[in-house]
Amino acid sequence: MNNMYRVCFHAARQAAGLKASRLLQHRAFRASATHRQQPFDSSLEKPQFPGASAEFVDQLEFIQPNVISGIPVYRVMDRQGNIINPSQDPELSKETVLNFYQKMTLLNTMDRILYESQRQGRISFYMTNYGEEGTHIGSAAALDPNDLVFGQYREAGVLMYRGFPLDLFMAQCYANADDLGKGRQMPVHYGSKDLNFVTISSPLATQIPQAVGSAYAIKRENANRAVICYFGEGAASEGDAHAGFNFSATLECPLIFFCRNNGYAISTPTNEQYRGDGIAARGPGYGMMSIRVDGNDVFAVYNATKEARRRAVAENQPFLIEAMTYRIGHHSTSDDSSAYRSVDEVNYWDKQDHPISRLRHYMTARNWWSEDDERSWRKQSRKMVMEVFERAERRLKPNPELLFTDVYQEMTPNLNKQRESLWRHVQQYKEHYPLDMYDK
Amino acid sequence: MAAAARFLIRGANPKLSISGGGTLLKLSPSCSSRTKTQRRHAAHFTYHPDPVPTQYGPTTKMNLFQSVTSALDNTLASDPTAVIFGEDVAFGGVFRCTVGLRDKYGKDRVFNTPLCEQGIVGFGIGVAVAGATAIAEIQFADYIYPAFDQIVNEAAKYRYRSGNLFDCGNLTIRAPWGCVGHGSLYHSQSPEAFFAHCPGIKVVIPRGPVQAKGLLLSCIADQNPCIFFEPKILYRAAVEQVPVESYTIPLSQAEVLQEGSDITMVAWGTQIHVMREVANMAQEKLGVSCEVIDLQTILPWDVETVCKSVVKTGRLLISHEAPITGGFAAEISSTVQEECFLNLEAPISRVCGYDTPFPHIFEPFYIPDKWKCFEAIKKMINY
């Protein structure tokens, strides 16, 4: 009892003491103001506010946002694949660049086939990555394979780069018995423990503060790892984005925030999403190093991510990369984007400024890639995707038992009861359930 | 929010401010009529200390906030990955639950976060996903709702949706909970029923210091995300002998505190102490023998212990501070009705808060106090 009173008194004393000293300051100020004898030069006064470090000004002036001429867009090569400033050329080997290209195009091929398969009702849902392949591959290549990835849902290229098998992409979309997620989530909600890619969930931006927490834990492990967290410019409007940015800065986390600014959040254009200079301009407000890059330039993305990764790990501070792109495809298979934007606009980005064609120009200019290579790779990649596609389609769905597991680590008595009740029911009404499609 | 919270650092225990906090009373000179003040602030319960636990080694006298600190201390000492964070935890917390821990374990393990509940829980999930032990504090249960999305859509579903590739089982969220005499709308809430509808999390509420430490250590060790609600009115008021070393009390297990044969009474948190008093009153005034059960874990709850008791007594009274409609008593009531239909001799009675926000000056009329519970027992016995 005694002990606890002491603690309480201590707290009360502290609070009272604080108040008293503030009161004194206040009184002293008033006294000096009334009894001041000597001339006082107010320009020598320095602000003492704990909340900011700044000078006084004697003119009323609101700070104006700079949105007309915003943060510049960093690029390494032009739309024809020419390196603009040789000092910025990452000088990647032919094999590396070929790998970039093949991963981007393989993702594109997979997108086309799965998009069509949804149109035919063979899978329930799909989201393509058209136009954003460069952001995935460029950033993934700049990371260490051990770096933990938190994504939104349009980052399949990161998994592709890390070697996620086509079979598992398909298994997830088909929710078949091979799916690591046990068929519980909608298509494109991929995850891989082995490849350090945290499972995608639908609620937007929730992964942002989570990525910060993981980065904090990783910093404490001292294991030379970083975390990267992807999100769209629409998701950046969520409260969780604010939470994540602010926490990462105050808690000094080795983390890269990677924003894919593709101009749209479903039908909402960016001018209805924000009025500042995009997302990059918010970074400095949180005390965060920030940059804007050309998301259709895989080398610009690579360079920015590489440097952000190096410094994030060395200095334990967050970095923000805003990659400017254009969402060429529909938002998802449940969306027809011609209802809110023109076909001409889409065509410009598809034909004139695409990350895949830009890299192809670069490779062609170096004689690393020919028309023949292109033809045979297209054929080969299509064949690869079709093979796994057909395999995935033939595979049974997971055992319905898996509806009940992993809710908790252990099976609770309540859930066990419900599981048994389902089995009894299904035995009785067999003919009304698609049992033959599921593993036994 | 933070400003309101500060009031309660000192105000958490009305008894304390009357007996010890002379300086505080001086703040309001009009409160000269001490007897009136005391009557108005009289606690609606009498704390019943638990028997001294003997099986876990040496014990020391602790109140509830000290037993929480002790549990956190044991955790930080044994688990090098464990971190504690939230608003104002670094200096010891507005309820003193983290006093001394930062000095002992370092500021990278006990630290303040920005004032943002969704951030705190999201951050905690991330720490847990990376494999470390995360102990997050939400300053008042009333302010947990900004984190509802992170708790319900994320924490609770992490393991399930990833097919057990990822989980945040190492996450524990602690929050002061329940009425406090004068907490009004946002320092009094009991939000457990909102979370009881969410598969994937565990919700735990202790009735005193011994339970608080054992159950909190179980929550921290449990491989599922847990919400641990601490009855803040007991932080200082409840004092008993608590083992110094680490020990656990199993989750999802109710505890029969008093055996009886005529009526089963189920409650949790502070309300347990109201129940105990009601049980004595019922025995003395009505000759009714009450079985008192502390549910302890709201989700997943111990159906078996409760049903077993009702099969024996044939009557059930459930009481909680939270509003009655959609409160957790409804879940218990309908389950018991399903399981014990042939044994029930009277309708199941729920004595709960009214379906209003939690009021300030009307608190004595709002709470399901011993007289309301006593009256319910009378009616059930005469049914």
Side-chain angles (χ1 to χ4, degrees):
Chain A
M1 219 45 178
N2 222 342
N3 207 354
M4 94 190 189
Y5 282 157
R6 219 176 305 139
V7 172
C8 173
F9 275 138
H10 180 65
R13 233 194 348 256
Q14 270 193 334
L18 218 66
K19 242 179 223 162
S21 70
R22 275 198 198 134
L23 212 67
L24 274 178
Q25 272 177 4
H26 186 62
R27 285 214 188 105
F29 173 74
R30 281 178 56 180
S32 69
T34 33
H35 301 294
R36 198 169 18 146
Q37 299 288 319
Q38 277 160 10
F40 179 74
D41 183 0
S42 64
S43 70
L44 294 176
E45 281 186 320
K46 298 278 180 223
Q48 298 297 321
F49 309 108
S53 161
E55 297 296 314
F56 283 122
V57 291
D58 54 14
Q59 289 289 319
L60 174 70
E61 195 184 348
F62 289 100
I63 304 295
Q64 198 164 343
N66 199 353
V67 290
I68 307 297
S69 150
I71 295 171
V73 183
Y74 170 69
R75 66 174 180 167
V76 172
M77 59 180 162
D78 63 21
R79 285 170 197 156
Q80 279 67 50
N82 304 309
I83 300 289
I84 300 160
N85 176 352
S87 76
Q88 297 297 307
D89 187 346
E91 293 175 350
L92 299 170
S93 69
K94 181 182 171 186
E95 291 69 38
T96 308
V97 175
L98 283 183
N99 184 37
F100 280 16
Y101 186 77
Q102 293 189 332
K103 290 285 160 64
M104 285 160 72
T105 46
L106 184 60
L107 175 63
N108 190 269
T109 304
M110 183 177 85
D111 274 351
R112 283 172 205 282
I113 288 168
L114 284 174
Y115 183 83
E116 286 310 318
S117 86
Q118 194 285 332
R119 300 281 94 169
Q120 297 162 15
R122 298 160 89 159
I123 61 173
S124 62
F125 178 79
Y126 195 69
M127 298 176 111
T128 62
N129 301 279
Y130 302 149
E132 300 184 48
E133 297 89 343
T135 61
H136 307 177
I137 302 301
S139 57
L143 298 170
D144 187 274
N146 288 320
D147 291 342
L148 193 58
V149 180
F150 283 81
Q152 179 164 307
Y153 49 59
R154 214 182 295 283
E155 295 92 8
V158 176
L159 269 175
M160 187 75 85
Y161 187 84
R162 288 195 170 186
F164 197 58
L166 283 173
D167 276 308
L168 291 180
F169 280 111
M170 298 287 171
Q172 201 283 330
C173 289
Y174 270 101
N176 70 26
D178 295 328
D179 176 20
L180 301 173
K182 304 179 188 171
R184 290 167 183 153
Q185 288 212 84
M186 281 173 77
V188 311
H189 291 57
Y190 309 115
S192 169
K193 182 84 178 167
D194 295 341
L195 301 177
N196 296 300
F197 189 100
V198 178
T199 301
I200 298 298
S201 73
S202 308
L204 289 177
T206 48
Q207 80 280 13
I208 299 176
Q210 294 172 11
V212 181
S214 287
Y216 188 87
I218 281 169
K219 172 175 82 167
R220 290 200 65 241
E221 282 172 9
N222 224 347
N224 191 30
R225 285 173 76 196
V227 174
I228 190 165
C229 178
Y230 296 90
F231 52 93
E233 90 287 349
S237 294
E238 292 280 4
D240 277 333
H242 165 63
F245 298 163
N246 199 25
F247 276 50
S248 70
T250 62
L251 298 171
E252 299 169 352
C253 298
L255 168 69
I256 302 162
F257 291 114
F258 194 107
C259 177
R260 298 174 291 95
N261 189 335
N262 61 20
Y264 290 90
I266 305 189
S267 73
T268 307
T270 53
N271 72 337
E272 292 169 20
Q273 198 64 248
Y274 53 73
R275 283 299 161 94
D277 174 25
I279 309 305
R282 296 178 197 170
Y286 291 98
M288 188 156 48
M289 303 286 288
S290 307
I291 195 170
R292 175 173 280 156
V293 304
D294 183 341
N296 297 338
D297 176 347
V298 71
F299 296 148
V301 173
Y302 174 85
N303 280 356
T305 313
K306 190 95 184 158
E307 179 63 3
R309 200 251 169 220
R310 185 186 72 77
R311 291 192 58 186
V313 172
E315 301 163 18
N316 282 325
Q317 65 161 325
F319 284 75
L320 172 63
I321 300 173
E322 181 185 29
M324 308 310 289
T325 59
Y326 187 84
R327 195 194 76 211
I328 292 172
H330 301 301
H331 164 69
S332 73
T333 48
S334 312
D335 170 54
D336 172 11
S337 68
S338 67
Y340 50 81
R341 61 181 188 182
S342 74
V343 177
D344 288 349
E345 181 184 309
V346 178
N347 276 339
Y348 166 78
W349 295 97
D350 196 18
K351 308 292 179 230
Q352 310 289 317
D353 191 359
H354 197 287
I356 291 178
S357 56
R358 203 190 295 192
L359 187 61
R360 193 172 155 200
H361 286 312
Y362 174 89
M363 298 190 326
T364 311
R366 273 155 193 74
N367 284 322
W368 290 354
W369 197 253
S370 65
E371 276 297 329
D372 284 346
D373 292 331
E374 180 71 17
R375 259 194 304 277
S376 72
W377 170 242
R378 275 192 186 212
K379 208 172 148 190
Q380 189 194 339
S381 59
R382 202 180 150 74
K383 187 163 169 270
M384 281 158 59
V385 176
M386 284 310 294
E387 274 174 17
V388 293
F389 173 80
E390 281 161 15
R391 261 206 305 278
E393 197 164 51
R394 282 197 302 271
R395 189 83 170 84
L396 287 175
K397 306 298 177 202
N399 189 316
E401 179 102 3
L402 295 178
L403 150 62
F404 293 100
T405 57
D406 302 329
V407 177
Y408 294 94
Q409 190 201 34
E410 68 280 6
M411 173 68 72
T412 64
N414 173 49
L415 274 174
N416 198 37
K417 214 173 135 187
Q418 295 177 16
R419 186 179 62 98
E420 284 165 4
S421 137
L422 171 67
W423 280 125
R424 276 194 305 277
H425 174 79
V426 168
Q427 289 312 310
Q428 201 179 340
Y429 291 89
K430 274 192 198 76
E431 65 279 22
H432 302 295
Y433 293 90
L435 280 170
D436 53 333
M437 289 169 60
Y438 290 79
D439 247 4
K440 289 196 183 49
Chain B
M1 176 187 313
R6 299 285 142 91
F7 283 124
L8 276 154
I9 305 176
R10 288 167 276 151
N13 185 356
K15 253 195 224 157
L16 189 71
S17 50
I18 290 160
S19 56
T23 45
L24 303 170
L25 272 184
K26 275 178 203 148
L27 291 174
S28 47
S30 58
C31 294
S32 54
S33 167
R34 204 168 262 206
T35 44
K36 251 190 195 166
T37 316
Q38 266 174 336
R39 193 181 307 147
R40 202 187 64 196
H41 282 264
H44 68 285
F45 65 96
T46 309
Y47 184 72
H48 301 264
D50 257 40
V52 180
T54 50
Q55 67 271 48
Y56 309 118
T59 62
T60 191
K61 207 173 201 181
M62 295 185 202
N63 62 27
L64 198 144
F65 85 63
Q66 289 163 331
S67 81
V68 168
T69 314
S70 174
L72 298 175
D73 189 356
N74 293 153
T75 302
L76 291 172
S78 65
D79 175 357
T81 72
V83 289
I84 296 171
F85 50 89
E87 295 157 13
D88 307 300
V89 300
F91 87 113
V94 300
F95 287 111
R96 319 312 291 149
C97 292
T98 50
V99 168
L101 296 176
R102 182 181 51 166
D103 291 342
K104 193 167 172 186
Y105 297 101
K107 58 184 191 212
D108 67 318
R109 301 190 65 192
V110 181
F111 51 91
N112 290 338
T113 64
L115 206 165
C116 178
E117 286 75 13
Q118 62 200 93
I120 292 170
V121 174
F123 179 88
I125 292 171
V127 170
V129 166
T133 300
I135 304 166
E137 177 179 305
I138 298 295
Q139 203 159 65
F140 286 83
D142 311 63
Y143 306 129
I144 204 167
Y145 308 116
F148 202 69
D149 184 43
Q150 285 285 354
I151 295 170
V152 174
N153 275 331
E154 295 292 316
K157 299 171 175 48
Y158 231 96
R159 188 188 298 277
Y160 186 78
R161 74 180 184 210
S162 68
N164 206 16
L165 292 180
F166 294 94
D167 70 84
C168 59
N170 290 335
L171 170 67
T172 303
I173 303 165
R174 301 171 37 241
W177 167 96
C179 77
V180 68
H182 52 272
S184 181
L185 286 83
Y186 307 111
H187 298 84
S188 308
Q189 292 182 45
S190 305
E192 63 271 20
F194 286 114
F195 296 103
H197 196 55
C198 176
I201 51 170
K202 295 191 175 179
V203 182
V204 180
I205 308 174
R207 67 170 182 276
V210 172
Q211 267 62 37
K213 181 169 174 179
L215 288 169
L216 178 55
L217 284 168
S218 287
C219 284
I220 294 168
D222 194 87
Q223 280 309 295
N224 298 287
C226 295
I227 302 179
F228 188 75
F229 286 127
E230 299 162 4
K232 59 182 164 295
I233 201 167
L234 301 179
Y235 271 141
R236 292 166 193 278
V239 184
E240 62 197 18
Q241 290 290 328
V242 180
V244 179
E245 291 306 317
S246 182
Y247 63 96
T248 55
I249 295 173
L251 304 184
S252 293
Q253 223 167 76
E255 185 181 346
V256 180
L257 296 178
Q258 179 182 320
E259 303 223 350
S261 53
D262 298 329
I263 188 162
T264 300
M265 296 162 73
V266 175
W268 50 91
T270 321
Q271 198 63 12
I272 277 296
H273 306 294
V274 175
M275 292 290 103
R276 281 177 141 170
E277 215 171 329
V278 172
N280 288 340
M281 287 162 67
Q283 185 68 60
E284 280 168 26
K285 296 186 203 266
L286 309 170
V288 169
S289 158
C290 296
E291 181 145 308
V292 179
I293 298 180
D294 181 359
L295 194 66
Q296 294 188 137
T297 302
I298 307 301
L299 187 75
W301 68 287
D302 183 357
V303 180
E304 199 187 327
T305 300
V306 174
C307 288
K308 216 173 114 191
S309 172
V310 175
V311 164
K312 178 176 73 174
T313 61
R315 291 181 184 85
L316 174 63
L317 176 137
I318 313 153
S319 181
H320 58 61
E321 284 175 17
I324 187 162
T325 303
F328 196 64
E331 178 60 36
I332 300 173
S333 168
S334 89
T335 303
V336 169
Q337 187 269 146
E338 233 176 301
E339 300 288 328
C340 313
F341 188 69
L342 295 175
N343 305 90
L344 283 169
E345 289 167 26
I348 296 168
S349 179
R350 293 182 286 157
V351 183
C352 305
Y354 300 113
D355 290 335
T356 67
F358 200 107
H360 183 222
I361 203 64
F362 309 121
E363 177 165 329
F365 301 98
Y366 174 86
I367 52 172
D369 63 10
K370 60 184 173 191
W371 299 109
K372 292 178 186 171
C373 295
F374 178 72
E375 176 59 20
I377 289 184
K378 243 167 59 179
K379 280 191 177 149
M380 282 172 82
I381 290 296
N382 295 327
Y383 184 81

